[in-house]
């Protein structure tokens, strides 16, 4: 058993309470590579922002869970080396699919876990979430649960269609499970293809898809039922069109990739939404930089040559999100 406290990590409790009061959201960036981790920490330190580094099932499979945990420990030390005296870094399990996975993460140094029982019937979701909460809270680890279904594909999480969270269920769910935060479904979606062309309208000038707006009425109704309770938005990449255009210009093929407009996320961050998950945007920034680099330097073969601009592009994207979308800068 390794406690996250020994690794210098923190749980989400105080962080979320402050964010809800302050009308901003904490960035939750997924990572699986060293370059992503470095970019996340550089961005968080430069902007003086708390940050959640999260690990999906796919990331655990790709990088190995032990390595990821040591990377998070390294991230804390790296932040200090970069001049941040008291970094606030959470190591969070994204979409935990069973009690066993959550337990093994808690035992190996995660400070926060998500148990995703959203595909289960309501009562079973409560039962599973409560089981995880009981174990996690013994170790001062915070738990995110999910109610409602998000559409889209992310690693091994996928659903064909979304079902908005039912506001009338949230009080019973939060009370019976004791979860610390709640991921809800209000129209965000996993992946770089969040919406089909049929769900969108098309901008007559650019020909780009314009996605349907988020269901702010559902968010409002949930906030009314659970005042001040930390709400989480998954699937909140914006799929920056400059990245998509660069990828397509240099040999890629991502037609009609579309995300959540940043002004909608900004609006959500000002409410009880206090954690916003961003994964695809980092993948897109990295891929765009690498494709461009290879097109301009066909003779390069040293990974450092193309991963340096890729890391820089991710860092810029993270800083942009922190300062212009979530508002978590200067909140340490
Ligand atoms: Zn998710």
């Amino acid at each position: 058993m390794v406690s996250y406290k020994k690794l210098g990590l923190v749980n989400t409790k105080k962080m979320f309470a402050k964010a809800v009061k302050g009308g901003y959201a904490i960035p939750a960036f997924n990572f699986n590579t060293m370059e992503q981790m470095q970019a996340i920490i550089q961005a968080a330190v430069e902007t003086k922002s708390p940050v959640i580094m999260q690990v999906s099932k796919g990331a655990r499979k790709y990088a190995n869970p032990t390595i990821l945990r040591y990377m998070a420990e390294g991230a804390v030390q790296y932040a200090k080396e970069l001049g941040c005296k008291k970094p606030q870094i959470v190591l969070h399990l994204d979409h935990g699919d069973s009690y066993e996975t959550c337990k093994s993460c808690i035992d190996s140094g995660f400070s926060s876990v998500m148990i995703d029982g959203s595909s289960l019937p309501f009562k079973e979701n409560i039962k599973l979430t409560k089981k995880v909460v009981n174990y996690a809270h013994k170790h001062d680890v915070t738990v995110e649960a999910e109610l409602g279904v998000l559409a889209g594909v992310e690693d091994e999480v996928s659903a064909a269609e979304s079902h908005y969270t039912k506001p009338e269920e949230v009080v019973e769910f939060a009370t019976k499970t004791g979860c610390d935060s709640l991921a809800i479904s209000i129209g965000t979606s996993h992946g770089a293809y969040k919406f089909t062309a049929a769900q969108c309208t098309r901008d007559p000038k650019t020909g780009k898809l314009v996605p349907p707006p988020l269901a702010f009425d559902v968010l409002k109704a949930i906030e009314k039922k659970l005042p001040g309770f930390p709400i989480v938005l998954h699937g909140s990449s914006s799929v920056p069109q400059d990245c998509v255009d660069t990828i397509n210009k240099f040999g890629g093929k991502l037609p009609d990739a579309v995300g959540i407009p940043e002004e909608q996320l900004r609006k959500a961050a000002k409410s009880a939404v206090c954690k916003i998950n961003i994964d695809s945007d980092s993948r897109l920034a990295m891929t765009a930089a690498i494709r461009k680099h290879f097109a301009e330097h066909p003779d390069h073969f040293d990974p450092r040559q193309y991963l340096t601009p890729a890391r820089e592009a991710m860092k810029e994207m993270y800083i942009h999100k922190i300062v212009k979308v979530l508002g978590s800068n200067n909140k340490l």
Side-chain angles (χ1 to χ4, degrees):
M1 170 94 206
V2 186
S3 167
Y4 68 87
K5 291 173 188 171
K6 281 225 170 92
L7 309 182
L9 298 161
V10 297
N11 69 20
T12 59
K13 196 130 207 152
K14 279 189 201 149
M15 201 181 267
F16 283 174
K18 228 179 123 187
V20 171
K21 258 196 203 148
Y24 60 94
I26 311 289
F29 298 131
N30 286 71
F31 80 109
N32 359 222
T33 73
M34 181 187 76
E35 287 76 14
Q36 272 178 319
M37 181 274 266
Q38 290 170 317
I40 292 168
I41 296 303
Q42 288 170 10
V45 169
E46 269 181 40
T47 57
K48 299 188 173 66
S49 172
V51 71
I52 297 171
M53 298 179 63
Q54 57 184 20
V55 167
S56 66
K57 193 176 177 186
R60 281 160 59 86
K61 213 190 213 169
Y62 172 76
N64 172 286
T66 311
I67 288 180
L68 288 168
R69 198 259 288 164
Y70 279 103
M71 277 170 76
E73 185 177 0
V76 174
Q77 299 309 320
Y78 182 48
K80 288 182 181 166
E81 209 179 293
L82 291 175
C84 181
K85 284 197 184 92
K86 267 193 138 188
Q88 283 178 34
I89 301 171
V90 173
L91 177 61
H92 175 76
L93 170 69
D94 193 18
H95 290 287
D97 58 355
S98 67
Y99 170 79
E100 288 71 28
T101 307
C102 292
K103 182 180 180 299
S104 104
C105 286
I106 292 165
D107 291 348
S108 70
F110 280 63
S111 57
S112 176
V113 293
M114 176 191 190
I115 177 69
D116 180 359
S118 62
S119 61
L120 299 172
F122 184 64
K123 289 228 159 78
E124 282 172 50
N125 188 359
I126 290 181
K127 204 173 146 199
L128 175 63
T129 303
K130 190 173 165 43
K131 193 176 171 193
V132 172
V133 167
N134 285 345
Y135 186 75
H137 283 183
K138 264 188 222 155
H139 302 280
D140 214 6
V141 167
T142 38
V143 179
E144 175 184 325
E146 180 165 337
L147 205 48
V149 180
L150 264 74
V153 183
E154 181 193 45
D155 289 351
E156 281 157 41
V157 182
S158 76
E161 52 182 310
S162 71
H163 300 278
Y164 288 163
T165 306
K166 294 180 190 142
E168 63 273 21
E169 287 184 346
V170 295
V171 174
E172 184 184 349
F173 187 83
T175 317
K176 286 195 172 157
T177 62
C179 65
D180 301 281
S181 60
L182 186 64
I184 60 164
S185 172
I186 56 165
T188 60
S189 167
H190 288 127
Y193 294 92
K194 297 191 186 298
F195 305 101
T196 63
Q199 293 171 299
C200 302
T201 50
R202 217 174 262 280
D203 185 321
K205 269 191 212 142
T206 60
K208 298 269 188 197
L209 294 180
V210 180
L214 298 181
F216 280 100
D217 53 328
V218 176
L219 175 60
K220 240 188 213 153
I222 292 169
E223 282 190 65
K224 227 182 187 173
K225 300 264 183 194
L226 287 176
F229 194 81
I231 300 296
V232 178
L233 283 190
H234 281 241
S236 298
S237 279
S238 299
V239 187
Q241 291 302 304
D242 54 333
C243 287
V244 174
D245 291 345
T246 304
I247 290 171
N248 289 338
K249 182 178 166 193
F250 294 109
K253 225 178 183 181
L254 298 179
D256 288 343
V258 63
I260 312 294
E262 290 188 335
E263 58 275 13
Q264 298 212 13
L265 295 175
R266 212 172 295 136
K267 188 174 162 190
K270 288 187 178 133
S271 70
V273 170
C274 65
K275 171 176 181 267
I276 293 188
N277 290 6
I278 295 165
D279 188 2
S280 296
D281 285 355
S282 161
R283 300 176 182 185
L284 291 164
M286 185 177 206
T287 302
I290 291 175
R291 276 200 180 274
K292 180 167 182 279
H293 187 89
F294 277 140
E296 289 168 356
H297 306 276
D299 56 324
H300 282 184
F301 63 92
D302 180 341
R304 290 170 295 188
Q305 289 170 317
Y306 53 88
L307 288 177
T308 300
R311 184 169 58 197
E312 200 50 41
M314 286 189 286
K315 179 186 163 186
E316 264 173 47
M317 191 279 294
Y318 293 136
I319 289 179
H320 168 78
K321 294 287 176 184
I322 289 170
V323 177
K324 301 283 184 194
V325 185
L326 309 186
S328 63
N329 48 313
N330 298 314
K331 297 297 191 301
L332 275 187

